[in-house]
Amino acid sequence: MYPEHVANSRPVTAVEVHQPAPLAPAVMAPAPLVPVQPGSVPTVASVVLPDGRVVTGYAINPVQPEPVAAKPAVSRTAVNIALGGVGFGAVCGGLLLLTTFIAALTALITQLITLAAVIFGGWIAVQIFSASDSKGGTTVNIRKAVIKRNHFHS
């Protein structure tokens, strides 16, 4: 199809191409000299460009970023969690020993109470079932007693 047959076509025009022209180097007049104190003279640097021009100016020190504190290889949170786990493990071991000690102490007290009950009970049994000729207490001779009408008279 040709452009003249298309309904909404634009007419074809020639395209102009512009090439940039290089600029002529500017001739700079020397700057007037200003008296400056010897201690405050800034550093002046000159740079020669590839086309032969010389650019002169004050040297500007680049702004140095503040040093960033080196991050540790392991985060502090991870170290704290690990230390907490170690401490918890140590406490659990101590609690296990504490509960073992309490159980052993309870068994010892139970055995001492049982031993005291056996010894005290044995002493009471000896007191009850011993011979009646013991030197302690009151002896009553009941052979002289008279029994009248189901009453006991001594």
Side-chain angles (χ1 to χ4, degrees), residues 103-121:
L105 186 63
T106 305
L108 176 68
I109 291 172
T110 304
Q111 289 177 355
L112 288 176
I113 290 173
T114 305
L115 180 65
V118 168
I119 291 174
F120 186 68

Side-chain angles (χ1 to χ4, degrees), residues 12-121:
V12 178
T13 58
V15 178
E16 294 180 25
V17 178
H18 296 281
Q19 295 292 334
L23 297 174
V27 178
M28 301 177 87
L33 294 176
V34 179
V36 181
Q37 296 294 331
S40 65
V41 175
T43 305
V44 177
S46 295
V47 177
V48 178
L49 297 177
D51 62 356
R53 291 182 291 163
V54 177
V55 178
T56 304
Y58 294 109
I60 299 174
N61 294 330
V63 177
Q64 296 291 333
E66 292 189 27
V68 178
K71 287 188 174 183
V74 180
S75 70
R76 289 173 110 35
T77 305
V79 170
N80 289 339
I81 290 172
L83 290 177
V86 170
F88 183 73
V91 167
C92 286
L95 289 176
L96 182 63
L97 290 176
L98 183 65
T99 54
T100 305
F101 174 75
I102 291 173
L105 186 63
T106 305
L108 176 68
I109 291 172
T110 304
Q111 289 177 355
L112 288 176
I113 290 173
T114 305
L115 180 65
V118 168
I119 291 174
F120 186 68

